[in-house]
Amino acid sequence: MTAPTAAEAAPPPAARAAAARSPWVSFLLRRLAGLVAVLVTLVVGTFLIVQLIPGDPARTIAGSNATPERIEQLRTQLGLDQPLWTQFTDYAGGVLRGDLGTSFANGQPVTQIIGDRLPFTAELALIAIVLVLLVSVPFGMAVAVACRGGRRRPLDTGFSAVTALAGAIPEYVLGTVLVLAFAITFKVFPAAGAASLGALVLPVLAISVGPICTMARIVRRETAAVLEQDYLRTARGRRLRAVRLYARHALPNLMTSTLTLGGLILSGLLGGTVVVEIVFAWPGLGTAVVNAITSRDYPVIQGVVLVLGLLATLLNLLVDIVLGLLDPRTLNGKAGSA
Amino acid sequence: MTRPTPRRLWTPTLIAGLAGMAALIVLAVVAPWIWGDRADQLTQQVHRSASGDHWFGTDALGRDVFARTMVATRLTLVTSLGATAVAAAGGIALGAAIWVSGPRVRELGQRLIDVLISYPSVIFALVVVAVLGPGPGTSVAAIGLASCPAFARLTTNLAASIAGRDFVSTARLLGVSPLRLLRRHILPNIAEPLLVLVSVAFTVSLKALSGLSFLGLGAQPPSYDWGRLLSTGLEGLYTNPAPALGPAAAIVLAGLAGGLVGDGLAAAANPAAPRPRGRRAKIESVLTSRAPAPEALVEVGGLSVRRADGTRLVEDVSFQIRPGEIVGLVGESGSGKSLTAMALARLLPEGLEPEAATLRVDDLDLTGAADRARTATEIGIVYQDPSASFNPTLRLGGQLTEALRVHQGVRRGEANRRAIQRLKAARVSLPERRMRQHPHELSGGMRQRAMIASALLTGPRLIIADEPTTALDVTVQAEVLRSLQAANSGEGTAILLISHDVAVISSMCDRVLVMYAGRLVEELPVADLRAGNARHPYTRALLAATPTLHGPVDEPLPAIHGRPPQPAERPSGCAFAPRCPLAREQCREERPVLLKTGPGGAAACHALAWSAETAGSTQ
Amino acid sequence: MTEPILSVQRLNVVFGRQHVLRDVSVDLPAGRTLGLVGESGSGKSTLAKAVVGLVRPASGRILLDGHDVSPKARRRVQMIPQDPYASLNPRMTVGQALAEAVDPRRGSVREHRQRVGELLGMVALDASAADRYPSEFSGGQRQRVAIARALAVKPDLIIADEVTSALDTSVQAEVLNVLRSLRAELSLTMLFISHDLAVVRHVCDRVAVLYRGEIVENTSRERLFARPEHDYTRLLLDSVPDGRPFVADRTDR
């Protein structure tokens, strides 16, 4: 038995293993595997959409007035007369080749429809996300720092009240009100369509205000928690100026817990985008999928759901990468966000 | 029978939220009776705007929108509660099922739930509607299912955290049946977070269901809920906004009520908010008659630490530290030793105010606005918990050299070089590598030695070490204490060492200060402490109760019965009197002051005067 | 010679890739207290959990009174955990917790009031404590309740896992005294785990030292403290601050 030294001569085993191989490599490998798993789930899930329709899918799709010939035609067209496994392989094969089928409504290839509309949706969603982060983080932090230790109670209460109220307003309601106020009453921005750059303003606002408020509350809470931590006291002991103290020592830590919780909100933004598109007649995926549901245009539904799912997953991956950059401990954690 | 610790459950937030919910429920029940007929009544007054007769105007068929909004409460509420129930029941069941299954199922299940959660729930709901066709039942199922993963994940996390708690494993060991375990031990302790999620889910469901109806996919004509009314009203928005704004306001207010309930419950579960404090004051100078000692390096005179409500956690503590001296501050929890040290370091937590007649290190006056750079560089601090005292997201090197770079203007390269040198001197292995690592990659002892190295980098006159080895193994502790001692003998840095461990104090220090219940009760040279020559009954009792490697083991350790008083209940007399074998009436009424007992010693105990009297009277 | 109450034979415990306990063998005769000493990472808590059945060994045997440890034998070994703030259900009164220990199926305080009162007395707590919630007690008092609960089932073996590590010195003394007197009155067989050698010295008659999952020394208390044989034991003993100065040149200050 080797001569014992102080028990802590070597760093703990986990740290040794991590130091040996860059944690980013294993993290990215795991997430890649996760991405593939999600893709498989999405393909299977969207495939099942048609299969799970109660009753006879062909009849439901054709509508109540359809002739039996039409129903049979639809059945063959959808491949519903084939065995289940064949249907699946056809579908999955198509997805992998980039062929998502053809729309019932207008005969266009679904891929083209999505290709035309995706940029509009992505535009809204991405601008909204950036806006949410840029506004809610400084806002929440400022309130937390200003109100720490029970200071300025009125500000704290006011903040909670305003964010609660504004956060309770659904996007479609806010969109409606914004249209009324700025497009109809004060004709500042267009009420519908994506014609100009100015047309972006109202929809983005409608999508963002709720999440800004919710995120600001989370940021405020997490900042308050970070301010109580021992390492903040150590940093205070170095008598740094306030800006440096909070920006360098509080911000990275609070972003970790904020993004962990807020990641959900950010991917929920996609859902909000979908609904707001209807209010503003925005030519994105949202209007496409809602119209498709009403007209039972299943290939479009399947295609859009698939693409939106991929988008949401990529968004989560992005959040986790940012998290990993901020706090390397999260890299060794579970594959999904905490 | 007393209840578990009462917290402030009934905050205005919660009350307001519950009142709102109650109003909604009442409305849902009675509205169809009151307004039912009016809601369906077709009139000639189509598309009217808001007026005295029709508060929300009328719709395309001349029906009163206000009445319709009131009546729609029922369907909206029923569907929202339904979706919440589906989400809660389904999610909790799923979460519980995953958790009680084997570890592999658990792992898989949790990954699956993570994937499901990250999928936007609105879109998921749209998919369900796409499969089952539009309608209120479908939308309830859709939204309910979409919110299941959140409940499942919370349940799994809660179950895991509770199951790991000691009282649960102990109950299992006792042979408590799983059902009773669930009922008595697990559920009562996870109810609160679940309730919070239920109220959040209600708010979310309300908004989402209204959204689906707004899209035309929820309530189908002739039934209508708020979302449907909003969608109808939207069509006439340009000319007549009232029929849209009315239902919109209803949705927002109902969502607000639900949100307030959730906030109120969440706040009750985490009672963290400190009490309101007054204006932040500088350290108030207090007049005291203690003689100043200019040759001391550190002088603390009449230091008290007050809570916002006026209770003094540390009362009138005075001591000095000579240059190059190691002074120990010993006491048990609640004695105020850490607060005293932190008050000297000007690092008290929020809500605590220091006041002192004198507070200085060298010529640096710490009452008032002390010079920032000098405070940072002349006082070095070593904190108790090495796992929490370094910022986990920043690399070690930057943290170690920060004070040096910011306050002494040393360039990064040079600062790093000096830090590495210090780390080497503290016998930290691979110092260059450590600088680039994150704190969690080092062991506890190494972190603590890095902390000491960091404190020494700026060449401080005084190091304040607050329980620096309490969290460490005994062999590691020995190394860290040697590091501290090397700092003292090598650089002549004075040290204020705080510890509850009498053995550590007597091995390291030149002089010892003993604190009890916020007061300084004895000062003595370490030789006296080692010999057991303490004069204060508390110090003697503490020494007697401490097990050692060489003392007798045949007798039980003489324990001190009772507990120290809570800060708010400290008596005006001697705080130790209730537990003291020598206590007399005088002790309960009159507070003892520190009296000299010999060279370098002093104790605050009336018994000293009695023995002096007896000694005097027998002469 | 009678069978030892606890016999651990060549126990190996592996967590993932970590070999936490290696070939650990230790015996505990009836009525004796064995101290298990080690630093963090030594595996002492894992050993306790293995004996109690909370952790499954990779190989080796654990015999309780001659028989392998089985789920049915759960109540014959009781553990007192370290954290006095986590060991009691905050939503049950002390009386309810003790009544549940006495009778896990029908833990009603009324039915078992007398036994509960007895148990509280054994740990020097007043019978009125039965109606109070854990939050109303100090750390030391909660530990005593935890001890009473462990005794309630009249176990063959009690494992005390760092029971005084979270306590102040004066409170620790009370708890240690309770353990000593119980040991004398009830002839308790106890496995006492601690990192604090001075405490172990006051409570145990035999001491085993664990280093990185292996037992490096297992001997009587007198021998361990007076004539330690293994290097690690000597290192431990040298590291304990015992009031003597660390560094020679401070002796005359």
Side-chain angles (χ1 to χ4, degrees):
Chain A
M1 165 114 147
T2 52
T5 51
E8 47 86 49
R16 236 183 296 139
R21 188 185 58 214
S22 163
W24 279 102
V25 172
S26 50
F27 169 74
L28 286 173
L29 281 177
R30 258 183 291 128
R31 297 315 297 275
L32 200 65
L35 206 62
V36 170
V38 167
L39 188 61
V40 168
T41 317
L42 281 174
V43 168
V44 171
T46 47
F47 171 69
L48 287 176
I49 290 179
V50 172
Q51 301 298 325
L52 285 176
I53 297 176
D56 178 8
R59 189 190 299 277
T60 317
I61 295 173
S64 35
N65 298 330
T67 58
E69 294 85 42
R70 174 72 187 135
I71 296 178
E72 280 316 304
Q73 186 187 34
L74 208 56
R75 201 193 302 282
T76 324
Q77 193 179 0
L78 286 173
L80 289 170
D81 47 353
Q82 307 270 18
L84 196 65
W85 181 246
T86 320
Q87 292 187 47
F88 180 68
T89 42
D90 285 345
Y91 178 70
V95 170
L96 289 174
R97 279 197 312 272
D99 172 17
L100 293 167
T102 321
S103 158
F104 288 164
N106 56 16
Q108 268 187 307
V110 172
T111 324
Q112 188 189 349
I113 297 179
I114 292 181
D116 288 341
R117 291 171 164 269
L118 181 59
F120 287 97
T121 303
E123 188 180 32
L124 278 188
L126 286 173
I127 297 179
I129 289 174
V130 169
L131 191 66
V132 167
L133 286 175
L134 283 182
V135 173
S136 63
V137 172
F139 186 27
M141 261 188 91
V143 172
V145 169
C147 298
R148 71 187 184 283
R151 288 184 181 80
R152 300 193 184 92
R153 283 259 144 165
L155 175 62
D156 206 8
T157 317
F159 171 82
S160 295
V162 168
T163 48
L165 183 60
I169 306 178
E171 317 84 357
Y172 46 94
V173 168
L174 186 58
T176 311
V177 169
L178 284 175
V179 166
L180 185 63
F182 294 104
I184 297 176
T185 317
F186 312 108
K187 296 183 184 3
V188 185
F189 296 107
S196 61
L197 209 61
L200 272 174
V201 173
L202 293 184
V204 165
L205 270 181
I207 300 173
S208 325
V209 168
I212 286 179
C213 291
T214 323
M215 279 289 269
R217 298 178 70 139
I218 294 181
V219 168
R220 185 220 169 295
R221 202 180 62 212
E222 295 303 316
T223 309
V226 163
L227 289 179
E228 310 244 310
Q229 295 298 314
D230 282 352
Y231 53 81
L232 236 282
R233 183 183 53 169
T234 311
R236 277 204 297 142
R238 297 194 196 120
R239 326 289 163 171
L240 307 166
R241 295 206 174 279
V243 174
R244 186 186 170 101
L245 178 68
Y246 295 122
R248 211 170 135 62
H249 291 274
L251 185 59
N253 299 77
L254 75 91
M255 281 310 288
T256 305
S257 37
T258 301
L259 281 181
T260 308
L261 293 168
L264 282 183
I265 297 182
L266 293 179
S267 59
L269 261 177
L270 268 184
T273 313
V274 163
V275 179
V276 162
E277 285 185 15
I278 305 295
V279 176
F280 289 90
W282 191 263
L285 291 175
T287 34
V289 78
V290 172
N291 293 334
I293 291 179
T294 332
S295 58
R296 300 190 165 279
D297 191 353
Y298 283 94
V300 173
I301 299 176
Q302 287 174 314
V304 171
V305 167
L306 188 70
V307 168
L308 284 176
L310 269 179
L311 224 79
T313 315
L314 284 173
L315 200 64
N316 271 298
L317 181 59
L318 199 69
V319 166
D320 283 345
I321 289 180
V322 174
L323 265 180
L325 287 170
L326 285 174
D327 182 357
R329 290 177 304 173
T330 58
L331 293 179
N332 296 324
K334 299 207 315 272
S337 25
Chain B
M1 182 166 4
T2 46
R3 292 267 98 212
T5 322
R7 296 155 310 201
R8 288 195 61 221
L9 179 65
W10 299 107
T11 51
T13 315
L14 185 61
I15 296 176
L18 285 175
M21 291 298 297
L24 274 182
I25 294 176
V26 165
L27 208 56
V29 170
V30 306
W33 290 339
I34 302 179
W35 287 286
D37 296 327
R38 208 172 142 79
D40 292 328
Q41 191 177 45
L42 305 171
T43 71
Q44 293 302 315
Q45 301 150 313
V46 298
H47 289 309
R48 290 280 189 270
S49 29
S51 66
D53 284 336
H54 303 286
W55 292 349
F56 289 171
T58 62
D59 65 0
L61 295 177
R63 296 175 290 198
D64 179 37
V65 176
F66 175 76
R68 286 173 76 74
T69 310
M70 293 294 108
V71 171
T73 313
R74 181 182 288 188
L75 185 60
T76 314
L77 206 62
V78 165
T79 45
S80 305
L81 289 174
T84 312
V86 168
I92 294 178
L94 183 63
I98 288 183
W99 185 68
V100 300
S101 319
R104 222 166 303 173
V105 175
R106 209 179 295 177
E107 176 77 20
L108 204 64
Q110 283 177 321
R111 296 261 182 95
L112 185 64
I113 291 192
D114 282 345
V115 168
L116 287 175
I117 284 193
S118 63
Y119 199 80
S121 53
V122 169
I123 301 173
F124 182 87
L126 288 178
V127 168
V128 175
V129 171
V131 169
L132 298 174
T138 315
S139 42
V140 166
I143 303 289
L145 281 177
S147 309
C148 270
F151 273 97
R153 187 163 78 174
L154 182 66
T155 310
T156 327
N157 288 351
L158 284 177
S161 81
I162 278 285
R165 299 267 296 270
D166 284 340
F167 64 82
V168 172
S169 37
T170 317
R172 279 169 63 199
L173 280 183
L174 287 171
V176 172
S177 69
L179 198 64
R180 192 190 153 88
L181 203 68
L182 197 67
R183 194 169 56 85
R184 288 299 259 125
H185 291 276
I186 297 184
L187 279 180
N189 284 297
I190 65 176
E192 275 167 11
L194 277 178
L195 273 179
V196 172
L197 191 59
V198 165
S199 58
V200 168
F202 173 79
T203 314
V204 167
S205 300
L206 183 77
K207 285 164 64 171
L209 279 168
S210 306
L212 277 183
S213 295
F214 175 78
L215 293 174
L217 302 172
Q220 299 293 306
S223 29
Y224 52 93
D225 61 3
W226 289 337
R228 183 135 204 108
L229 287 175
L230 178 62
S231 154
T232 320
L234 193 65
E235 293 158 18
L237 192 65
Y238 284 78
T239 48
N240 185 9
L245 292 181
I251 296 175
V252 172
L253 288 175
L256 188 62
L260 288 176
V261 170
D263 281 352
L265 285 176
N270 299 322
R275 261 162 242 110
R277 59 205 298 294
R279 193 179 47 84
R280 182 178 181 77
K282 292 283 187 288
I283 299 183
E284 298 162 28
S285 275
V286 165
L287 284 176
T288 196
S289 55
R290 185 148 177 124
E295 72 283 355
L297 173 70
V298 177
E299 202 179 335
V300 173
L303 172 67
S304 295
V305 175
R306 254 189 321 116
R307 272 209 298 240
D309 61 6
T311 328
R312 293 208 281 176
L313 300 176
V314 172
E315 278 184 72
D316 202 21
V317 168
S318 306
F319 61 90
Q320 291 119 33
I321 305 180
R322 289 191 287 274
E325 206 182 11
I326 303 184
V327 170
L329 189 51
V330 71
E332 297 178 294
S333 27
S335 58
K337 58 190 191 302
S338 280
L339 287 176
T340 305
M342 287 296 120
L344 177 59
R346 311 258 353 239
L347 275 184
L348 285 173
E350 292 290 341
L352 294 180
E353 302 282 12
E355 46 187 39
T358 321
L359 200 66
R360 69 172 182 85
V361 173
D362 207 2
D363 61 338
L364 181 63
D365 180 10
L366 294 168
T367 60
D371 179 61
R372 203 193 279 270
R374 286 194 64 192
T375 315
T377 51
E378 291 182 28
I379 305 177
I381 312 175
V382 178
Y383 302 89
Q384 171 174 352
D385 186 356
S387 62
S389 300
F390 279 118
N391 193 325
T393 60
L394 302 174
R395 293 185 200 274
L396 205 56
Q399 300 187 56
L400 295 182
T401 57
E402 190 165 26
L404 197 59
R405 287 180 288 117
V406 168
H407 295 297
Q408 290 183 339
V410 177
R411 288 212 183 291
R412 193 177 281 274
E414 169 67 12
N416 284 350
R417 202 185 53 78
R418 291 195 208 173
I420 292 175
Q421 220 170 29
R422 287 267 173 205
L423 287 176
K424 278 206 184 99
R427 298 189 356 192
V428 172
S429 61
L430 308 170
E432 294 86 356
R433 193 188 215 175
R434 304 289 171 216
M435 296 283 284
R436 286 195 315 273
Q437 282 181 328
H438 291 271
H440 67 275
E441 299 179 70
L442 279 74
S443 68
M446 243 190 266
R447 276 190 286 242
Q448 209 56 324
R449 282 181 287 161
M451 178 82 74
I452 296 174
S454 169
L456 288 173
L457 261 184
T458 54
R461 306 296 310 273
L462 170 71
I463 287 191
I464 299 177
D466 184 10
E467 303 260 21
T469 56
T470 305
L472 304 174
D473 282 327
V474 71
T475 51
V476 177
Q477 169 176 270
E479 304 243 344
V480 172
L481 291 177
R482 281 196 202 104
S483 283
L484 271 179
Q485 219 158 43
N488 172 262
S489 45
E491 338 249 337
T493 318
I495 301 182
L496 178 62
L497 177 63
I498 294 102
S499 181
H500 67 283
D501 189 334
V502 173
V504 165
I505 293 279
S506 58
S507 314
M508 287 281 294
C509 307
D510 302 318
R511 261 194 317 127
V512 181
L513 307 167
V514 183
M515 282 187 72
Y516 181 80
R519 301 173 189 168
L520 192 56
V521 298
E522 182 157 15
E523 273 184 49
L524 67 168
V526 77
D528 284 352
L529 186 72
R530 286 181 194 146
N533 291 342
R535 305 302 297 275
H536 195 282
Y538 171 67
T539 318
R540 297 184 73 88
L542 190 62
L543 288 174
T546 308
T548 60
L549 288 184
H550 305 286
V553 283
D554 302 318
E555 293 300 313
L557 293 162
I560 320 175
H561 295 294
R563 283 196 267 172
Q566 296 288 9
E569 295 158 3
R570 285 180 190 154
S572 42
C574 174
F576 189 59
R579 307 168 77 191
C580 181
L582 305 178
R584 290 185 197 171
E585 206 49 49
Q586 181 193 19
C587 302
R588 282 175 257 280
E589 288 166 12
E590 201 188 306
R591 219 188 103 168
V593 291
L594 278 172
L595 297 170
K596 278 189 81 68
T597 55
C605 179
H606 292 303
L608 293 174
W610 306 332
S611 49
E613 279 164 15
T614 357
S617 67
T618 51
Q619 270 178 345
Chain C
M1 188 167 83
T2 46
E3 198 80 58
I5 293 281
L6 175 69
S7 179
V8 175
Q9 296 173 358
R10 305 197 53 128
L11 187 70
N12 277 284
V13 172
V14 180
F15 288 147
R17 266 178 295 188
Q18 257 188 306
H19 203 153
V20 179
L21 287 175
R22 297 167 190 269
D23 259 5
V24 166
S25 296
V26 91
D27 282 343
L28 181 53
R32 294 266 177 238
T33 304
L34 172 68
L36 198 56
V37 169
E39 297 184 298
S40 43
S42 57
K44 52 191 196 300
S45 272
T46 312
L47 180 55
K49 291 190 189 150
V51 170
V52 148
L54 287 174
V55 152
R56 203 178 316 208
S59 71
R61 297 176 77 194
I62 302 177
L63 297 175
L64 203 56
D65 214 6
H67 308 289
D68 283 288
V69 175
S70 69
K72 282 207 197 70
R74 281 223 137 135
R75 279 165 67 86
R76 298 178 56 197
V77 183
Q78 285 300 309
M79 186 149 97
I80 310 165
Q82 169 177 5
D83 186 352
Y85 295 89
S87 56
L88 296 172
N89 187 340
R91 292 177 193 271
M92 281 172 67
T93 60
V94 161
Q96 286 167 334
L98 289 177
E100 182 182 60
V102 170
D103 184 354
R105 256 172 293 276
R106 287 184 323 276
S108 147
V109 192
R110 244 175 310 122
E111 289 172 9
H112 305 286
R113 202 167 257 290
Q114 197 204 352
R115 177 85 180 119
V116 166
E118 259 173 41
L119 288 167
L120 287 169
M122 275 174 21
V123 295
L125 281 174
D126 191 55
S128 67
D131 293 326
R132 306 224 290 272
Y133 285 88
S135 53
E136 302 174 61
F137 293 98
S138 71
Q141 288 168 321
R142 285 189 225 199
Q143 281 303 55
R144 286 188 272 161
V145 170
I147 296 174
R149 180 175 54 182
L151 292 174
V153 305
K154 300 202 207 300
D156 295 335
L157 171 68
I158 287 200
I159 304 184
D161 186 4
E162 302 269 16
V163 294
T164 56
S165 307
L167 303 176
D168 277 328
T169 316
S170 49
V171 177
Q172 169 180 271
E174 273 182 336
V175 174
L176 291 178
N177 289 345
V178 162
L179 284 176
R180 279 174 71 121
S181 63
L182 286 174
R183 195 183 53 163
E185 280 170 51
L186 305 176
S187 285
L188 273 185
T189 311
M190 187 160 63
L191 183 63
F192 188 87
I193 299 171
S194 178
H195 66 279
D196 188 336
L197 282 161
V199 166
V200 163
R201 187 169 164 266
H202 267 268
V203 176
C204 310
D205 27 36
R206 287 192 68 80
V207 182
V209 178
L210 260 181
Y211 176 62
R212 295 216 181 153
E214 292 184 45
I215 299 225
V216 302
E217 191 154 354
N218 183 351
T219 176
S220 75
R221 175 185 64 197
E222 287 77 26
R223 285 253 291 281
L224 189 105
F225 287 98
R227 290 183 302 284
E229 288 182 359
H230 196 276
D231 283 342
Y232 178 66
T233 317
R234 275 194 230 118
L235 174 66
L236 271 186
L237 287 169
D238 283 342
S239 304
V240 175
D242 57 359
R244 301 199 206 142
F246 260 123
V247 177
D249 65 40
R250 297 194 81 85
T251 344
D252 48 350
R253 287 234 201 166

